[in-house]
Amino acid sequence: MSSSQDTGRSVLRSLNTGAVLRAVVESGPVSRAGIARATNLSAVTVGAIAGELLGQDLIVENGDTDATAGRPGRLLELNSGAYGSIGVKLSDRSVTGVLTDLRSKVLAEASRPLEHPSAEDFVRVLRDLTTSLTADAGMDWDRLLGVGIGLPGVVDRGAGTAVYSPFLQWIDVPVAELAETALGLPVIVENDVNTLALAERWFGRGQGVQDFLLVTVGQGIGLGVVLGGELHGGARGGVGELGHMVVTDADEACSCGSTGCLEAVASEGALLRQSEVLTQRSGSDPVLDMDELYHRAESDPDHADLVDVAGERIGRGVANLINVLSPELVLVRGPGRFEGSRLAARMTESVAHHTFAGLAGRTELRVEHLDDMPWARGAASLVLSELFMSPATAPGAKAMRSGRIQ
Amino acid sequence: MSSSQDTGRSVLRSLNTGAVLRAVVESGPVSRAGIARATNLSAVTVGAIAGELLGQDLIVENGDTDATAGRPGRLLELNSGAYGSIGVKLSDRSVTGVLTDLRSKVLAEASRPLEHPSAEDFVRVLRDLTTSLTADAGMDWDRLLGVGIGLPGVVDRGAGTAVYSPFLQWIDVPVAELAETALGLPVIVENDVNTLALAERWFGRGQGVQDFLLVTVGQGIGLGVVLGGELHGGARGGVGELGHMVVTDADEACSCGSTGCLEAVASEGALLRQSEVLTQRSGSDPVLDMDELYHRAESDPDHADLVDVAGERIGRGVANLINVLSPELVLVRGPGRFEGSRLAARMTESVAHHTFAGLAGRTELRVEHLDDMPWARGAASLVLSELFMSPATAPGAKAMRSGRIQ
DNA sequence: TCCACTTTCTTTGTAAGCTTAACTAAGAAA
DNA sequence: TTTCTTAGTTAAGCTTACAAAGAAAGTGGA
């Protein structure tokens, strides 16, 4: 793991090393011969690369294949505990961090309040959080591969900047640079929903799926797009504003300046506002949160309507995405109260109704639970993803992207 | 151009050959030294690859750089005329074909009626069309790189099949296989809008643009998606059903079985139907085509409304795409009557209104003219695109995709 | 017990491809 | 004519991959 900067090392080897590493990660414990079959590389090459990876402590030998005939193969598997990755989720009031192993298993977690969401404050808190996590997990500092940071808003991952984050009120903040100088570790910044999508791609429902979408439903409505196995970032990283898709003629003003956005007509905030109008008109008790709103919908037809309309609209948005991108899988994740709710049910119906017939049955829709921790865990997987995609450049240095193949 | 199948030849060389070829195509006439700078390859490698390409007749030397100092470089450029590509656009009543050179310049064009859109009939017509085009252009048959076929509907490019084409009433037809055996040439099948998008990417507005969308407005509403410089095909090729996006509460039934689709509320057909209701109600003369409808909208406020609403809705659809994918460029192409029409103007306004503020100014919107010929020309560029992306495998054989890097 | 058989992994030799360094080529300017 | 600068080529060395052959390590039958 020492000499990661040998520029002479060919990109070809790097690609093949990546392929071997991915085979180990994805095909569990596997023999060298098995890797050779999976990657189409020669046994010799696999042997050599496996030797390097063993030397780097990234993989370990662990037991043999039970051979029916012939010499049993020595099983190789990821040495999960050898290195760690730190993931940080930034919201407007707090910073949540985790330290994970190479398999994205959480080894330590912690949270800190963020009084003023200024970049300086954040970096200070980040430094504290990172040292604390490393101590908690009992991990050597130089075994850290890097830090992934997920934050809401438009993020330019290549430049490492927060381009525009309304929640944090950040505009063009060079987050990665600030954090790198403060920590002395490689830092990757990404939109928070994207980090979640990446975690799904490597360790969740998206494993082995080429094209999938992750939709997060909650305070806002977010979207992560994985196409061809890779996260789509878009021009300067501004992807996934599903909350500002328009699927109705209702022209409620949205905070973004447009009208009729999903976020303005079907987000949790929008539902609570709509409920307030209803309860004021009827003189009934006000509804304070979503749990209560779902409960009210069971008895009050007006509230039921309200939820139905919102579900139909969110479903339209999801169906629109399916019609346009035709992914294999759409994963809708929301807080506990969302899964199994009337809102989710209506949404599912609406998706089925509005999906183009020619594409029917081609896309799977899953509605699942979303805790808080995966956000930070997703950010940690940013670093792991870089490792698995281009191990030659990791750890220790920024990804070299010369474009040249040598 | 003879020995294209040496399996021993490393993929590495193939990648670099592609890079050199692309540099020649994209940077016009350029010296070896210029290519080396552009690709980051060494001068030696560029020299060797250039030698191979010269031997294959793919590029030629043509003049020198005007050197201010030092030895002038010998300019290399694509030998456009050396090889040809055939492109075919299939609609329900006719087959249009072109033969282009390597720069996508049309050398010959022809059209044939298609009485019964059966696969057998099509192959027969295709054979006739191909020989006729080749004769017209005075090109040697063995200088043909291949045939690209664009057809409406869901196409599985990898399998070479038309999965589902409502227009043609084709389901799971192995078009590529049928055509390959009939012609003895490599055949690539793709959705027609996608072929158009590919032509833009290589020879049109999309040159040098990483992420862009092509929206075609006409009888239907189509979409081609280019992300990261590559056409996005989606799961089994079903991408781009923008016509079936829902952006309104109007629940007009659509031919696809859903309700409220763009195609049902804002396509040319939908507008004419809506106009019919108006004229019948008011007893005025019926509107027969779009030209007349635009004209009527200038004097009749009801018709103006109708166009305005449709424009607003199409604009919503386009803005939705921008919010979700954040491309650098959205190219909207329609028939002559569309560009500069009231419909286009309203659409543009609507896009601006509904685009998420955080993404503003990041996406360029262009509305331009769309003839008939580009469809077939786009299909021809399918073949050229394969050449530029992986020249080692072309011409003569199906793309080898072992996944192994050697 | 021993020997054939199968499968895994390593060693050895060879070919391909890229890079650097040195060299030749070719024009402009002093 | 000499010097400078840029273009392109040749030579040498390094990395990497493959193929072939050997060594290792089991099973199973005679």
PDB file of all heavy atoms in Angstrom, chain B residues 352-382:
ATOM      1  N   ALA B 352     -38.132  27.884 -19.408  1.00  0.00           N
ATOM      2  CA  ALA B 352     -37.437  28.833 -18.536  1.00  0.00           C
ATOM      3  C   ALA B 352     -38.139  28.920 -17.190  1.00  0.00           C
ATOM      4  O   ALA B 352     -37.496  28.940 -16.130  1.00  0.00           O
ATOM      5  CB  ALA B 352     -37.375  30.205 -19.196  1.00  0.00           C
ATOM      6  N   HIS B 353     -39.462  28.950 -17.225  1.00  0.00           N
ATOM      7  CA  HIS B 353     -40.218  29.098 -15.989  1.00  0.00           C
ATOM      8  C   HIS B 353     -40.050  27.908 -15.054  1.00  0.00           C
ATOM      9  O   HIS B 353     -39.932  28.065 -13.837  1.00  0.00           O
ATOM     10  CB  HIS B 353     -41.705  29.281 -16.322  1.00  0.00           C
ATOM     11  CG  HIS B 353     -42.588  29.366 -15.106  1.00  0.00           C
ATOM     12  ND1 HIS B 353     -42.545  30.427 -14.227  1.00  0.00           N
ATOM     13  CD2 HIS B 353     -43.522  28.507 -14.619  1.00  0.00           C
ATOM     14  CE1 HIS B 353     -43.423  30.227 -13.256  1.00  0.00           C
ATOM     15  NE2 HIS B 353     -44.026  29.069 -13.468  1.00  0.00           N
ATOM     16  N   HIS B 354     -40.016  26.715 -15.632  1.00  0.00           N
ATOM     17  CA  HIS B 354     -40.043  25.521 -14.789  1.00  0.00           C
ATOM     18  C   HIS B 354     -38.668  24.925 -14.500  1.00  0.00           C
ATOM     19  O   HIS B 354     -38.568  23.916 -13.825  1.00  0.00           O
ATOM     20  CB  HIS B 354     -40.936  24.451 -15.427  1.00  0.00           C
ATOM     21  CG  HIS B 354     -42.388  24.801 -15.386  1.00  0.00           C
ATOM     22  ND1 HIS B 354     -43.096  24.896 -14.214  1.00  0.00           N
ATOM     23  CD2 HIS B 354     -43.273  25.106 -16.370  1.00  0.00           C
ATOM     24  CE1 HIS B 354     -44.349  25.221 -14.480  1.00  0.00           C
ATOM     25  NE2 HIS B 354     -44.486  25.371 -15.788  1.00  0.00           N
ATOM     26  N   THR B 355     -37.621  25.515 -15.046  1.00  0.00           N
ATOM     27  CA  THR B 355     -36.287  24.987 -14.746  1.00  0.00           C
ATOM     28  C   THR B 355     -35.869  25.426 -13.354  1.00  0.00           C
ATOM     29  O   THR B 355     -36.019  26.576 -12.983  1.00  0.00           O
ATOM     30  CB  THR B 355     -35.269  25.487 -15.786  1.00  0.00           C
ATOM     31  OG1 THR B 355     -35.673  25.055 -17.070  1.00  0.00           O
ATOM     32  CG2 THR B 355     -33.888  24.934 -15.478  1.00  0.00           C
ATOM     33  N   PHE B 356     -35.351  24.476 -12.615  1.00  0.00           N
ATOM     34  CA  PHE B 356     -34.935  24.728 -11.237  1.00  0.00           C
ATOM     35  C   PHE B 356     -33.873  25.822 -11.199  1.00  0.00           C
ATOM     36  O   PHE B 356     -32.897  25.773 -11.945  1.00  0.00           O
ATOM     37  CB  PHE B 356     -34.388  23.429 -10.633  1.00  0.00           C
ATOM     38  CG  PHE B 356     -33.915  23.551  -9.219  1.00  0.00           C
ATOM     39  CD1 PHE B 356     -34.775  23.994  -8.227  1.00  0.00           C
ATOM     40  CD2 PHE B 356     -32.624  23.217  -8.880  1.00  0.00           C
ATOM     41  CE1 PHE B 356     -34.349  24.094  -6.909  1.00  0.00           C
ATOM     42  CE2 PHE B 356     -32.179  23.315  -7.558  1.00  0.00           C
ATOM     43  CZ  PHE B 356     -33.049  23.754  -6.584  1.00  0.00           C
ATOM     44  N   ALA B 357     -34.089  26.785 -10.310  1.00  0.00           N
ATOM     45  CA  ALA B 357     -33.218  27.959 -10.282  1.00  0.00           C
ATOM     46  C   ALA B 357     -31.753  27.584 -10.104  1.00  0.00           C
ATOM     47  O   ALA B 357     -30.868  28.166 -10.724  1.00  0.00           O
ATOM     48  CB  ALA B 357     -33.658  28.900  -9.154  1.00  0.00           C
ATOM     49  N   GLY B 358     -31.488  26.580  -9.282  1.00  0.00           N
ATOM     50  CA  GLY B 358     -30.106  26.189  -9.021  1.00  0.00           C
ATOM     51  C   GLY B 358     -29.395  25.695 -10.252  1.00  0.00           C
ATOM     52  O   GLY B 358     -28.170  25.613 -10.300  1.00  0.00           O
ATOM     53  N   LEU B 359     -30.175  25.326 -11.261  1.00  0.00           N
ATOM     54  CA  LEU B 359     -29.578  24.804 -12.477  1.00  0.00           C
ATOM     55  C   LEU B 359     -29.609  25.832 -13.604  1.00  0.00           C
ATOM     56  O   LEU B 359     -29.128  25.567 -14.708  1.00  0.00           O
ATOM     57  CB  LEU B 359     -30.324  23.553 -12.938  1.00  0.00           C
ATOM     58  CG  LEU B 359     -30.390  22.415 -11.930  1.00  0.00           C
ATOM     59  CD1 LEU B 359     -31.237  21.289 -12.481  1.00  0.00           C
ATOM     60  CD2 LEU B 359     -29.004  21.914 -11.613  1.00  0.00           C
ATOM     61  N   ALA B 360     -30.175  26.986 -13.315  1.00  0.00           N
ATOM     62  CA  ALA B 360     -30.366  27.965 -14.377  1.00  0.00           C
ATOM     63  C   ALA B 360     -29.050  28.322 -15.032  1.00  0.00           C
ATOM     64  O   ALA B 360     -28.016  28.396 -14.385  1.00  0.00           O
ATOM     65  CB  ALA B 360     -31.018  29.225 -13.803  1.00  0.00           C
ATOM     66  N   GLY B 361     -29.092  28.531 -16.318  1.00  0.00           N
ATOM     67  CA  GLY B 361     -27.908  28.951 -17.042  1.00  0.00           C
ATOM     68  C   GLY B 361     -26.945  27.810 -17.302  1.00  0.00           C
ATOM     69  O   GLY B 361     -25.918  27.984 -17.931  1.00  0.00           O
ATOM     70  N   ARG B 362     -27.267  26.634 -16.821  1.00  0.00           N
ATOM     71  CA  ARG B 362     -26.349  25.538 -17.011  1.00  0.00           C
ATOM     72  C   ARG B 362     -26.709  24.725 -18.248  1.00  0.00           C
ATOM     73  O   ARG B 362     -25.916  23.982 -18.782  1.00  0.00           O
ATOM     74  CB  ARG B 362     -26.398  24.635 -15.772  1.00  0.00           C
ATOM     75  CG  ARG B 362     -25.164  23.823 -15.647  1.00  0.00           C
ATOM     76  CD  ARG B 362     -25.050  23.251 -14.274  1.00  0.00           C
ATOM     77  NE  ARG B 362     -25.172  24.296 -13.259  1.00  0.00           N
ATOM     78  CZ  ARG B 362     -25.064  24.042 -11.969  1.00  0.00           C
ATOM     79  NH1 ARG B 362     -24.864  22.826 -11.561  1.00  0.00           N
ATOM     80  NH2 ARG B 362     -25.166  25.013 -11.094  1.00  0.00           N
ATOM     81  N   THR B 363     -27.955  24.873 -18.662  1.00  0.00           N
ATOM     82  CA  THR B 363     -28.415  24.120 -19.820  1.00  0.00           C
ATOM     83  C   THR B 363     -28.789  25.078 -20.935  1.00  0.00           C
ATOM     84  O   THR B 363     -29.522  26.034 -20.711  1.00  0.00           O
ATOM     85  CB  THR B 363     -29.645  23.274 -19.440  1.00  0.00           C
ATOM     86  OG1 THR B 363     -29.306  22.400 -18.375  1.00  0.00           O
ATOM     87  CG2 THR B 363     -30.112  22.468 -20.635  1.00  0.00           C
ATOM     88  N   GLU B 364     -28.275  24.799 -22.115  1.00  0.00           N
ATOM     89  CA  GLU B 364     -28.627  25.614 -23.269  1.00  0.00           C
ATOM     90  C   GLU B 364     -29.795  24.952 -23.984  1.00  0.00           C
ATOM     91  O   GLU B 364     -29.838  23.732 -24.132  1.00  0.00           O
ATOM     92  CB  GLU B 364     -27.423  25.706 -24.212  1.00  0.00           C
ATOM     93  CG  GLU B 364     -27.632  26.607 -25.392  1.00  0.00           C
ATOM     94  CD  GLU B 364     -26.498  26.497 -26.410  1.00  0.00           C
ATOM     95  OE1 GLU B 364     -25.562  25.705 -26.171  1.00  0.00           O
ATOM     96  OE2 GLU B 364     -26.564  27.179 -27.435  1.00  0.00           O
ATOM     97  N   LEU B 365     -30.760  25.756 -24.401  1.00  0.00           N
ATOM     98  CA  LEU B 365     -31.899  25.220 -25.137  1.00  0.00           C
ATOM     99  C   LEU B 365     -31.854  25.736 -26.560  1.00  0.00           C
ATOM    100  O   LEU B 365     -31.767  26.941 -26.786  1.00  0.00           O
ATOM    101  CB  LEU B 365     -33.210  25.661 -24.463  1.00  0.00           C
ATOM    102  CG  LEU B 365     -34.500  25.196 -25.137  1.00  0.00           C
ATOM    103  CD1 LEU B 365     -34.713  23.712 -24.901  1.00  0.00           C
ATOM    104  CD2 LEU B 365     -35.697  25.978 -24.613  1.00  0.00           C
ATOM    105  N   ARG B 366     -31.881  24.839 -27.519  1.00  0.00           N
ATOM    106  CA  ARG B 366     -31.882  25.271 -28.921  1.00  0.00           C
ATOM    107  C   ARG B 366     -33.073  24.650 -29.624  1.00  0.00           C
ATOM    108  O   ARG B 366     -33.336  23.459 -29.478  1.00  0.00           O
ATOM    109  CB  ARG B 366     -30.628  24.790 -29.642  1.00  0.00           C
ATOM    110  CG  ARG B 366     -29.351  25.331 -29.102  1.00  0.00           C
ATOM    111  CD  ARG B 366     -28.203  24.866 -29.978  1.00  0.00           C
ATOM    112  NE  ARG B 366     -28.083  25.722 -31.130  1.00  0.00           N
ATOM    113  CZ  ARG B 366     -26.999  26.446 -31.396  1.00  0.00           C
ATOM    114  NH1 ARG B 366     -25.968  26.395 -30.594  1.00  0.00           N
ATOM    115  NH2 ARG B 366     -26.946  27.199 -32.464  1.00  0.00           N
ATOM    116  N   VAL B 367     -33.763  25.452 -30.379  1.00  0.00           N
ATOM    117  CA  VAL B 367     -34.869  24.948 -31.176  1.00  0.00           C
ATOM    118  C   VAL B 367     -34.457  25.045 -32.633  1.00  0.00           C
ATOM    119  O   VAL B 367     -34.092  26.120 -33.099  1.00  0.00           O
ATOM    120  CB  VAL B 367     -36.148  25.774 -30.944  1.00  0.00           C
ATOM    121  CG1 VAL B 367     -37.279  25.232 -31.790  1.00  0.00           C
ATOM    122  CG2 VAL B 367     -36.523  25.756 -29.477  1.00  0.00           C
ATOM    123  N   GLU B 368     -34.467  23.909 -33.326  1.00  0.00           N
ATOM    124  CA  GLU B 368     -34.006  23.949 -34.706  1.00  0.00           C
ATOM    125  C   GLU B 368     -34.850  23.070 -35.615  1.00  0.00           C
ATOM    126  O   GLU B 368     -35.674  22.279 -35.179  1.00  0.00           O
ATOM    127  CB  GLU B 368     -32.529  23.537 -34.768  1.00  0.00           C
ATOM    128  CG  GLU B 368     -31.638  24.539 -34.056  1.00  0.00           C
ATOM    129  CD  GLU B 368     -30.162  24.321 -34.315  1.00  0.00           C
ATOM    130  OE1 GLU B 368     -29.809  23.283 -34.907  1.00  0.00           O
ATOM    131  OE2 GLU B 368     -29.384  25.200 -33.925  1.00  0.00           O
ATOM    132  N   HIS B 369     -34.552  23.251 -36.849  1.00  0.00           N
ATOM    133  CA  HIS B 369     -35.285  22.614 -37.913  1.00  0.00           C
ATOM    134  C   HIS B 369     -34.922  21.124 -38.024  1.00  0.00           C
ATOM    135  O   HIS B 369     -33.824  20.723 -37.671  1.00  0.00           O
ATOM    136  CB  HIS B 369     -34.897  23.334 -39.205  1.00  0.00           C
ATOM    137  CG  HIS B 369     -35.630  22.868 -40.390  1.00  0.00           C
ATOM    138  ND1 HIS B 369     -36.973  23.068 -40.563  1.00  0.00           N
ATOM    139  CD2 HIS B 369     -35.203  22.177 -41.469  1.00  0.00           C
ATOM    140  CE1 HIS B 369     -37.342  22.535 -41.703  1.00  0.00           C
ATOM    141  NE2 HIS B 369     -36.293  21.979 -42.274  1.00  0.00           N
ATOM    142  N   LEU B 370     -35.835  20.336 -38.488  1.00  0.00           N
ATOM    143  CA  LEU B 370     -35.551  18.916 -38.710  1.00  0.00           C
ATOM    144  C   LEU B 370     -36.118  18.469 -40.054  1.00  0.00           C
ATOM    145  O   LEU B 370     -37.333  18.442 -40.255  1.00  0.00           O
ATOM    146  CB  LEU B 370     -36.166  18.069 -37.592  1.00  0.00           C
ATOM    147  CG  LEU B 370     -36.121  16.566 -37.786  1.00  0.00           C
ATOM    148  CD1 LEU B 370     -34.684  16.069 -37.825  1.00  0.00           C
ATOM    149  CD2 LEU B 370     -36.876  15.857 -36.676  1.00  0.00           C
ATOM    150  N   ASP B 371     -35.226  18.132 -40.976  1.00  0.00           N
ATOM    151  CA  ASP B 371     -35.688  17.605 -42.265  1.00  0.00           C
ATOM    152  C   ASP B 371     -36.001  16.129 -42.134  1.00  0.00           C
ATOM    153  O   ASP B 371     -35.916  15.560 -41.057  1.00  0.00           O
ATOM    154  CB  ASP B 371     -34.590  17.755 -43.324  1.00  0.00           C
ATOM    155  CG  ASP B 371     -34.094  19.166 -43.405  1.00  0.00           C
ATOM    156  OD1 ASP B 371     -34.920  20.064 -43.538  1.00  0.00           O
ATOM    157  OD2 ASP B 371     -32.863  19.348 -43.294  1.00  0.00           O
ATOM    158  N   ASP B 372     -36.258  15.522 -43.271  1.00  0.00           N
ATOM    159  CA  ASP B 372     -36.491  14.085 -43.255  1.00  0.00           C
ATOM    160  C   ASP B 372     -35.186  13.313 -43.387  1.00  0.00           C
ATOM    161  O   ASP B 372     -35.009  12.267 -42.776  1.00  0.00           O
ATOM    162  CB  ASP B 372     -37.441  13.688 -44.391  1.00  0.00           C
ATOM    163  CG  ASP B 372     -38.880  13.943 -43.983  1.00  0.00           C
ATOM    164  OD1 ASP B 372     -39.118  14.078 -42.763  1.00  0.00           O
ATOM    165  OD2 ASP B 372     -39.747  14.017 -44.861  1.00  0.00           O
ATOM    166  N   MET B 373     -34.277  13.861 -44.193  1.00  0.00           N
ATOM    167  CA  MET B 373     -33.087  13.084 -44.481  1.00  0.00           C
ATOM    168  C   MET B 373     -32.231  12.727 -43.267  1.00  0.00           C
ATOM    169  O   MET B 373     -31.710  11.628 -43.200  1.00  0.00           O
ATOM    170  CB  MET B 373     -32.224  13.799 -45.519  1.00  0.00           C
ATOM    171  CG  MET B 373     -31.314  12.783 -46.154  1.00  0.00           C
ATOM    172  SD  MET B 373     -29.895  13.410 -46.947  1.00  0.00           S
ATOM    173  CE  MET B 373     -30.377  14.807 -47.870  1.00  0.00           C
ATOM    174  N   PRO B 374     -32.091  13.627 -42.300  1.00  0.00           N
ATOM    175  CA  PRO B 374     -31.222  13.309 -41.165  1.00  0.00           C
ATOM    176  C   PRO B 374     -31.540  11.990 -40.487  1.00  0.00           C
ATOM    177  O   PRO B 374     -30.675  11.380 -39.879  1.00  0.00           O
ATOM    178  CB  PRO B 374     -31.462  14.471 -40.205  1.00  0.00           C
ATOM    179  CG  PRO B 374     -31.803  15.600 -41.082  1.00  0.00           C
ATOM    180  CD  PRO B 374     -32.583  14.998 -42.216  1.00  0.00           C
ATOM    181  N   TRP B 375     -32.763  11.539 -40.596  1.00  0.00           N
ATOM    182  CA  TRP B 375     -33.102  10.273 -39.950  1.00  0.00           C
ATOM    183  C   TRP B 375     -32.259   9.142 -40.521  1.00  0.00           C
ATOM    184  O   TRP B 375     -31.635   8.382 -39.786  1.00  0.00           O
ATOM    185  CB  TRP B 375     -34.587   9.954 -40.138  1.00  0.00           C
ATOM    186  CG  TRP B 375     -35.499  10.889 -39.424  1.00  0.00           C
ATOM    187  CD1 TRP B 375     -36.055  12.026 -39.921  1.00  0.00           C
ATOM    188  CD2 TRP B 375     -35.957  10.782 -38.074  1.00  0.00           C
ATOM    189  NE1 TRP B 375     -36.838  12.627 -38.966  1.00  0.00           N
ATOM    190  CE2 TRP B 375     -36.807  11.890 -37.823  1.00  0.00           C
ATOM    191  CE3 TRP B 375     -35.748   9.863 -37.046  1.00  0.00           C
ATOM    192  CZ2 TRP B 375     -37.427  12.095 -36.602  1.00  0.00           C
ATOM    193  CZ3 TRP B 375     -36.370  10.069 -35.830  1.00  0.00           C
ATOM    194  CH2 TRP B 375     -37.202  11.174 -35.608  1.00  0.00           C
ATOM    195  N   ALA B 376     -32.233   9.081 -41.837  1.00  0.00           N
ATOM    196  CA  ALA B 376     -31.442   8.024 -42.458  1.00  0.00           C
ATOM    197  C   ALA B 376     -29.951   8.290 -42.269  1.00  0.00           C
ATOM    198  O   ALA B 376     -29.160   7.367 -42.041  1.00  0.00           O
ATOM    199  CB  ALA B 376     -31.773   7.937 -43.941  1.00  0.00           C
ATOM    200  N   ARG B 377     -29.583   9.575 -42.319  1.00  0.00           N
ATOM    201  CA  ARG B 377     -28.194   9.920 -42.115  1.00  0.00           C
ATOM    202  C   ARG B 377     -27.762   9.529 -40.696  1.00  0.00           C
ATOM    203  O   ARG B 377     -26.651   9.055 -40.472  1.00  0.00           O
ATOM    204  CB  ARG B 377     -28.022  11.424 -42.335  1.00  0.00           C
ATOM    205  CG  ARG B 377     -26.604  11.860 -42.421  1.00  0.00           C
ATOM    206  CD  ARG B 377     -26.505  13.256 -43.023  1.00  0.00           C
ATOM    207  NE  ARG B 377     -25.324  13.929 -42.552  1.00  0.00           N
ATOM    208  CZ  ARG B 377     -25.322  14.877 -41.624  1.00  0.00           C
ATOM    209  NH1 ARG B 377     -26.449  15.283 -41.079  1.00  0.00           N
ATOM    210  NH2 ARG B 377     -24.193  15.429 -41.245  1.00  0.00           N
ATOM    211  N   GLY B 378     -28.649   9.728 -39.771  1.00  0.00           N
ATOM    212  CA  GLY B 378     -28.367   9.304 -38.399  1.00  0.00           C
ATOM    213  C   GLY B 378     -28.124   7.811 -38.314  1.00  0.00           C
ATOM    214  O   GLY B 378     -27.211   7.349 -37.643  1.00  0.00           O
ATOM    215  N   ALA B 379     -28.933   7.059 -39.029  1.00  0.00           N
ATOM    216  CA  ALA B 379     -28.759   5.610 -39.020  1.00  0.00           C
ATOM    217  C   ALA B 379     -27.395   5.232 -39.577  1.00  0.00           C
ATOM    218  O   ALA B 379     -26.719   4.328 -39.066  1.00  0.00           O
ATOM    219  CB  ALA B 379     -29.871   4.944 -39.819  1.00  0.00           C
ATOM    220  N   ALA B 380     -26.971   5.948 -40.615  1.00  0.00           N
ATOM    221  CA  ALA B 380     -25.652   5.660 -41.183  1.00  0.00           C
ATOM    222  C   ALA B 380     -24.551   5.972 -40.165  1.00  0.00           C
ATOM    223  O   ALA B 380     -23.525   5.288 -40.116  1.00  0.00           O
ATOM    224  CB  ALA B 380     -25.443   6.476 -42.456  1.00  0.00           C
ATOM    225  N   SER B 381     -24.775   6.971 -39.351  1.00  0.00           N
ATOM    226  CA  SER B 381     -23.738   7.348 -38.393  1.00  0.00           C
ATOM    227  C   SER B 381     -23.607   6.317 -37.266  1.00  0.00           C
ATOM    228  O   SER B 381     -22.628   6.335 -36.525  1.00  0.00           O
ATOM    229  CB  SER B 381     -24.018   8.730 -37.804  1.00  0.00           C
ATOM    230  OG  SER B 381     -25.090   8.677 -36.891  1.00  0.00           O
ATOM    231  N   LEU B 382     -24.587   5.440 -37.148  1.00  0.00           N
ATOM    232  CA  LEU B 382     -24.460   4.319 -36.204  1.00  0.00           C
ATOM    233  C   LEU B 382     -23.184   3.549 -36.480  1.00  0.00           C
ATOM    234  O   LEU B 382     -22.414   3.199 -35.588  1.00  0.00           O
ATOM    235  CB  LEU B 382     -25.629   3.336 -36.379  1.00  0.00           C
ATOM    236  CG  LEU B 382     -26.941   3.577 -35.683  1.00  0.00           C
ATOM    237  CD1 LEU B 382     -27.933   2.525 -36.152  1.00  0.00           C
ATOM    238  CD2 LEU B 382     -26.761   3.502 -34.192  1.00  0.00           C
TER     239      LEU B 382
END
